[in-house]
Amino acid sequence: MNAPALRDRLRGIAALALLPLLALTACGSGDGGGTAAVGAQASPAPTSDPVASVRTVDAVAALLPADVRRSGTLRVGSSIGFPPGAYYPNGPDKAPAGQDIDLADAVAKVLGVKLDRQDASFETILPALGSGKYDVGTGNFGVTTERLKTIDFVTYINDGQGFAVKKGNTALKKVTDLTQLCGLTIGTGAGTTFETTLTAQKGVCAKAGKKPYDVKVYSENAATLTALRQGRIDVVMSTINGLRYQASQPAARTTFLGEYHRLDVGFAFKKGSPLTKAFQAAVNELIENGTYARILKKWGTSASAIETSRINPPEHA
């Protein structure tokens, strides 16, 4: 092997080695989508700590059920997927960081409780709420009509669905209609609103007289990014904020194609949970005292801010 060829091969090996470090998920977004992060550092976490000054607000804490006030702990099923939502900036053996982590911690401080945060794959959290394994779920869960049948939500941000391609791919521009994806292979996360949307609308290509698109579902975000980099998929569907963040990282070599569909994102609870009013009041307290804005500014998601938290709003049209 000559020297230039050897250099190219080493560059390829180095690029592949970076993939786990750039693991990004689907948000949740639109939901949320994603599973526990495979890798560690996508970029250093911001050092500011807007949660440090948050104090318990007795009037809000009083909205918690008596048994929760006595125990002082809430069990949280948490999908640690990718920045800026939730990720491991220093490896999975260290504390997670991200917008969702800060918001959940801030809410807990307002309520005067501790969080027993348990890592879980994205697609397992909502079913586990119904079984009582967790009191609340986090993971950029988008509010959809279907989910509202079995899950209660307390909103804390407005994110949604978007698309990204490998940097240098100019064949696909901003996606405003799924028929633009006909004949392509799309990668997305298991159990996400992205998977649901793509599956439900798969017939649009046949109606338009075009070749159908193919959907590849991945349970790990690093696998999705690897598939994109290796050309096994043409486009990724994931969260707006996650894909925008990913594209800002030069080593990821992806291009964000813009927003497709906005969704409210919220803390998730089993249907009929007595915790929703307390969480709603806590989020609104953070909005009113400025902590909420500081958290979103820290993570670069201010454009996704909401004016007030709501319980079970209808899905965006």
Side-chain angles (χ1 to χ4, degrees):
M1 181 179 294
N2 58 34
L6 178 59
R7 283 196 298 271
D8 289 343
R9 180 174 177 81
L10 290 175
R11 284 194 197 102
I13 293 171
L16 289 175
L18 281 171
L19 291 176
L21 305 182
L22 296 165
L24 300 175
T25 161
C27 125
S29 181
D31 155 63
T35 60
V38 176
Q41 186 169 329
S43 70
T47 56
S48 64
D49 187 5
V51 181
S53 61
V54 178
R55 299 290 180 265
T56 300
V57 179
D58 291 339
V60 179
L63 296 173
L64 287 170
D67 61 331
V68 174
R69 295 200 303 273
R70 283 194 298 269
S71 71
T73 303
L74 287 171
R75 298 161 300 161
V76 182
S78 184
S79 173
I80 311 298
F82 67 112
Y87 71 119
Y88 290 107
N90 301 304
D93 58 332
K94 305 295 184 182
Q99 163 201 279
D100 289 1
I101 302 298
D102 280 353
L103 284 172
D105 287 348
V107 165
K109 291 184 77 170
V110 170
L111 295 174
V113 297
K114 304 280 187 189
L115 298 182
D116 175 13
R117 184 176 279 116
Q118 302 173 32
D119 289 3
S121 60
F122 178 85
E123 66 271 23
T124 66
I125 293 176
L126 298 187
L129 292 171
S131 70
K133 183 176 182 179
Y134 309 122
D135 300 306
V136 57
T138 64
N140 209 68
F141 289 105
V143 181
T144 67
T145 301
E146 188 62 28
R147 285 178 175 167
L148 285 170
K149 295 175 182 177
T150 56
I151 298 294
D152 282 339
F153 289 96
V154 172
T155 61
Y156 60 83
I157 202 166
N158 181 258
D159 197 342
Q161 303 173 332
F163 294 92
V165 294
K166 183 178 177 180
K167 198 170 186 67
N169 180 352
T170 59
L172 189 62
K173 307 296 184 183
K174 180 178 175 64
V175 177
T176 57
D177 190 294
L178 293 184
T179 56
Q180 294 170 258
L181 304 175
C182 296
L184 301 179
T185 301
I186 309 159
T188 195
T192 63
T193 61
F194 320 120
E195 181 186 10
T196 299
T197 296
L198 292 170
T199 301
Q201 298 296 319
K202 205 163 186 179
V204 298
C205 294
K207 291 179 182 178
K210 298 181 178 181
K211 182 180 177 181
Y213 55 71
D214 187 29
V215 180
K216 300 290 187 184
V217 177
Y218 299 90
S219 60
E220 295 178 350
N221 305 302
T224 309
L225 183 56
T226 301
L228 183 68
R229 295 281 294 274
Q230 294 181 345
R232 290 184 281 113
I233 58 176
D234 303 298
V235 59
V236 173
M237 187 179 190
S238 189
T239 66
I240 293 168
N241 287 334
L243 292 177
R244 181 179 284 123
Y245 177 93
Q246 181 186 54
S248 74
Q249 306 301 302
R253 300 208 302 271
T254 62
T255 298
F256 177 54
L257 299 182
E259 301 177 8
Y260 174 70
H261 179 54
R262 279 276 175 176
L263 284 172
D264 287 313
V265 171
F267 295 105
F269 307 83
K270 70 178 181 181
K271 204 69 181 172
S273 171
L275 297 172
T276 55
K277 289 185 178 180
F279 267 71
Q280 180 193 31
V283 174
N284 284 331
E285 170 66 24
L286 296 171
I287 292 173
E288 291 169 12
N289 68 26
T291 302
Y292 176 80
R294 289 190 289 274
I295 291 173
L296 268 57
K297 182 178 180 181
K298 172 183 176 179
W299 295 104
T301 56
S302 298
S304 289
I306 58 173
E307 293 184 358
T308 186
S309 175
R310 295 192 291 168
I311 297 174
N312 297 338
E315 180 179 353
H316 285 291

